[in-house]
Amino acid sequence: GSDEPLLWFRDPGDQKRSELVAETASLAASLAQLLPPRARQLIHWRFWDGLTLAECGRRLGVTKERARQIEKESLASLREAIARCEGR
């Protein structure tokens, strides 16, 4: 995988979009620090490296279903953190 998050999403012809994507990726990386290490690693593999849930599960030594649960819990935690920041 790439060291640069969301590289596949970038459009080099659109500077403002590229800047927004870079800012969003930076924010996502900062928010991911709120997660436990195992959950943070799974989110990185899924959304930065593009691994499947089955691949993440194998790397973590858990089933695909458990990897899905960790992903779901992690995304819910990140959504809650964003909502707190927005004052909801």
Side-chain angles (χ1 to χ4, degrees):
S2 173
D3 288 336
E4 191 167 359
L6 305 177
L7 182 62
W8 54 269
F9 187 69
R10 293 189 185 215
D11 179 4
D14 185 347
Q15 183 64 30
K16 288 204 181 282
R17 183 176 183 202
S18 293
E19 290 170 6
L20 178 60
V21 170
E23 186 177 324
T24 302
S26 176
L27 176 60
S30 294
L31 283 171
Q33 295 302 311
L34 300 172
L35 297 172
R38 190 163 93 149
R40 183 171 53 247
Q41 185 65 66
L42 183 139
I43 294 297
H44 180 88
W45 287 331
R46 286 285 286 150
F47 297 102
W48 271 254
D49 296 342
L51 271 58
T52 66
L53 285 170
E55 291 168 327
C56 292
R58 276 193 293 278
R59 288 185 177 196
L60 291 175
V62 300
T63 64
K64 176 183 171 182
E65 176 59 21
R66 181 63 188 132
R68 186 198 62 77
Q69 292 169 353
I70 294 168
E71 177 189 66
K72 183 179 177 181
E73 293 163 3
S74 299
L75 293 176
S77 293
L78 293 174
R79 284 186 194 101
E80 290 172 13
I82 291 168
R84 283 192 305 273
C85 290
E86 292 177 344
R88 291 187 202 166

